[in-house]
């Protein structure tokens, strides 16, 4: 719900609402975006449309750094998620790649690409706009990629995690079938958790995130994985 709507509903100033939202965000009760707020929970997955407009500048910078890691004429696994969609937009600037994705949103962005686009198909999860299930897994199983870009919802002590059990096998199969895997997420997720761990830090070449992460978090993650700050 937007800040202005909350202000009108409760009959207080927008400044009062913003202060209350900041307090709730610190308690991890909500996740605050640009002018709105949604409930936050380790166990609840936010719908894709709520994620797409958050931390846009950070996601663009992360996508730009990810582009630098893609080999010419390479085969790329592109996971689902809002950051991946920003990367998909930039992939339209390249040619000669083979891009394999289980993301409906990324596939739509790449619909006019000059690269070869392969969409896994399978059961569509409306919450994440991603394809899951045996059909998607079998599509990935037959591909060997040069690089896999993987997203997450948060972290456990030894690796990234997500809030949907249906996404686990897809991410694991992409990681296992790629020469190297790269983790992408904006810094807001570094202090969040997901219910299901799907990999360890050692399985990734690096973690690309933005420069807004707190110094304590930077030190903590730098001890576990190579950090690339965008």
């Amino acid at each position: 719900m937007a800040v202005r709507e909350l202000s009108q509903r409760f009959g207080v100033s927008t400044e009062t609402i913003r202060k209350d939202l900041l307090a709730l965000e610190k308690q991890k009760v909500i996740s605050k975006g640009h002018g709105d707020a949604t409930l936050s929970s380790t166990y609840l997955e936010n719908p894709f449309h709520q994620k797409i407009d958050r931390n846009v500048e950070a996601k663009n910078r992360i996508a730009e750094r990810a582009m630098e890691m893609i080999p010419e004429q390479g085969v790329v696994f592109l996971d689902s998620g809002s950051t991946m969609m920003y990367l998909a937009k930039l992939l339209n600037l390249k040619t000669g790649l083979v891009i394999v994705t289980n993301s409906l949103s990324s596939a739509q962005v790449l619909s006019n690409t000059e690269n070869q686009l392969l969409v896994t198909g399978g059961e569509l999860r409306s919450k994440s706009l991603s394809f899951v299930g045996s059909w998607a897994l079998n599509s990935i199983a037959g591909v060997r990629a040069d690089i896999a870009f993987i997203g997450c919802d948060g972290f456990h002590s030894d690796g990234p995690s997500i809030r949907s059990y249906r996404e686990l096998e897809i991410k694991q199969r992409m990681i296992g079938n790629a020469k190297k895997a790269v983790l992408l997420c904006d810094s807001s997720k570094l202090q969040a958790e997901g219910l299901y761990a799907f990999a360890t830090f050692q399985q990734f070449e690096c973690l690309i995130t933005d420069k807004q992460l707190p110094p304590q978090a930077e030190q903590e993650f730098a001890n576990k994985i190579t950090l690339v700050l965008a």
Side-chain angles (χ1 to χ4, degrees):
M1 183 174 288
V3 169
R4 189 175 297 278
E5 292 178 82
L6 290 169
S7 171
Q8 293 172 349
R9 174 172 293 191
F10 294 106
V12 296
S13 68
T14 55
E15 185 59 29
T16 297
I17 291 294
R18 288 192 179 95
K19 289 179 180 178
D20 290 340
L21 291 177
L22 281 172
L24 290 171
E25 186 179 32
K26 287 180 179 178
Q27 297 172 37
K28 297 187 178 180
V29 176
I30 63 165
S31 295
K32 192 165 66 68
H34 296 289
D36 66 0
T38 56
L39 288 174
S40 176
S41 170
T42 298
Y43 307 105
L44 296 179
E45 179 185 9
N46 290 323
F48 185 83
H49 70 86
Q50 290 183 2
K51 302 175 183 178
I52 195 63
D53 292 326
R54 291 183 180 174
N55 304 317
V56 172
E57 291 184 12
K59 290 174 182 178
N60 273 320
R61 293 197 303 271
I62 292 167
E64 289 170 358
R65 291 302 299 269
M67 283 280 285
E68 298 172 6
M69 303 186 70
I70 299 174
E72 294 297 322
Q73 311 297 313
V75 180
V76 179
F77 279 143
L78 195 61
D79 190 18
S80 61
S82 57
T83 303
M84 302 300 161
M85 198 192 78
Y86 285 93
L87 176 54
K89 291 179 181 180
L90 295 183
L91 288 173
N92 280 314
L93 302 175
K94 283 189 170 284
T95 59
L97 300 175
V98 177
I99 303 168
V100 183
T101 186
N102 71 318
S103 167
L104 177 60
S105 57
S106 290
Q108 290 172 330
V109 167
L110 288 161
S111 60
N112 294 314
T113 184
E114 294 184 22
N115 301 288
Q116 182 180 359
L117 175 63
L118 302 176
V119 183
T120 64
E123 179 187 346
L124 180 65
R125 291 191 69 240
S126 58
K127 205 160 202 177
S128 61
L129 297 182
S130 62
F131 294 106
V132 296
S134 59
W135 197 329
L137 283 169
N138 289 337
S139 299
I140 296 167
V143 180
R144 294 295 180 270
D146 294 294
I147 189 166
F149 293 109
I150 306 296
C152 66
D153 291 323
F155 292 88
H156 288 187
S157 60
D158 58 350
S161 58
I162 51 174
R163 292 170 181 162
S164 167
Y165 181 78
R166 303 299 307 280
E167 305 277 352
L168 278 175
E169 290 183 305
I170 299 293
K171 294 176 185 290
Q172 291 168 345
R173 187 67 59 86
M174 285 184 173
I175 294 168
N177 281 25
K179 292 178 182 176
K180 64 181 178 182
V182 176
L183 194 59
L184 308 183
C185 74
D186 67 78
S187 60
S188 69
K189 294 182 178 179
L190 297 185
Q191 295 179 306
E193 292 184 10
L195 184 56
Y196 307 104
F198 62 87
T200 64
F201 288 114
Q202 288 72 30
Q203 291 175 267
F204 294 94
E205 182 88 0
C206 64
L207 163 61
I208 305 179
T209 189
D210 59 271
K211 297 178 181 178
Q212 302 305 311
L213 72 166
Q216 183 177 351
E218 181 176 353
Q219 183 60 51
E220 177 187 349
F221 278 84
N223 291 333
K224 298 176 179 180
I225 189 171
T226 300
L227 282 180
V228 177
L229 301 183

